[in-house]
């Protein structure tokens, strides 16, 4: 059996639908049967699915307590990972963007900017590539609040539909990169459970049509 850590929230329902298309019976994960449980089995017992926060998916797979994981490339870019990233699943598509109050962007310029983000490493790297010295403030929740409250000149965040920005009088200043969910594996699991991991990859590839 393969133990797979699946990111809760944004990509969860699309990931479950993808696993179903790959032929895994995920009815144990259905909302009405789930309650507060965190670990589930697929119908044929091929997968044990662990629901976890994105960053923890990388931790569990990196430490080898989960063989595989489904996690956004945003979290991989921010945290880095020892895991092997095998497939772009093409789900959970969104973009990293620099954003802020509509009509207020004056460019990077010479003034030291304050930028708020849930992704401080991605933010620092992006500005460093432009030779800009910025103060990065780490925010845990709705980062859109930071420019509205006057804490930051801009934010770096993921934008999917753009609704959150729009409804708060903010806009995208610049798109940084595309984001989507990835199928990752623990390095040792790939070797020690070769047949099972190959089978998972093969079935998921068929489901995503690659
Ligand atoms: C993300 C992101 C934005 C929002 C963008 O948060 O931080 O707030 O989604 O989506 P939109 O462009 O479709 O409006 P998420 O909902 O993942 O919640 P989080 O604050 O728990 O990260």
């Amino acid at each position: 059996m393969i133990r797979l850590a699946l990111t809760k929230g944004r990509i969860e329902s699309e990931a479950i639908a993808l696993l179903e298309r790959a032929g895994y019976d995920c009815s144990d994960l259905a909302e009405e049967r789930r309650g507060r449980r965190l670990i589930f089995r697929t119908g044929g017992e091929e997968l044990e699915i662990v629901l976890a926060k994105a960053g923890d998916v990388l931790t569990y797979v990196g430490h080898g307590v989960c063989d595989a994981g489904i996690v956004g490339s945003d979290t991989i870019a921010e945290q880095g990972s020892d895991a092997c990233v095998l497939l772009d699943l093409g789900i959970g598509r969104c973009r990293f963007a620099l954003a802020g109050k509509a009509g207020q962007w004056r460019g990077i310029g010479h003034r030291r900017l304050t930028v708020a983000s849930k992704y401080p490493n991605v933010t620092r790297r992006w500005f460093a590539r432009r030779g800009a010295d910025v103060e990065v403030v780490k925010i845990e929740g709705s980062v859109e609040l930071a420019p509205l409250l006057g804490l930051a000149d801009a934010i770096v965040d993921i934008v999917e539909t753009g609704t959150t920005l729009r409804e708060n009088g903010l806009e995208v200043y610049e798109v940084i990169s595309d984001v989507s969910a990835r199928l990752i594996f623990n390095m040792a699991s790939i070797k020690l459970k070769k047949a099972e991991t190959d089978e998972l990859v093969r079935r998921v590839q068929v489901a995503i049509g690659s």
Side-chain angles (χ1 to χ4, degrees), residues 114-120 124 135-139 143 146 151-152:
T114 302
V115 182
S117 186
K118 284 181 263 189
Y119 303 90
R124 268 188 215 99
E135 182 190 353
V136 179
V137 181
K138 170 90 193 281
I139 298 290
V143 70
L151 177 68

Side-chain angles (χ1 to χ4, degrees), residues 10 118 141-144 157-165:
R10 170 175 292 272
K118 284 181 263 189
S142 297
V143 70
E144 294 85 358
D157 198 16
I158 52 170
V159 178
E160 189 177 350
T161 61
T163 308
T164 313
L165 291 180

Side-chain angles (χ1 to χ4, degrees), residues 19 23 51 90-91 94 109 143-144 168 180 190 192 198 208:
L19 290 172
L51 287 183
I91 59 172
C94 53
V143 70
E144 294 85 358
N168 289 288
S180 59
I190 290 177
L192 298 173
D198 282 353
I208 62 177

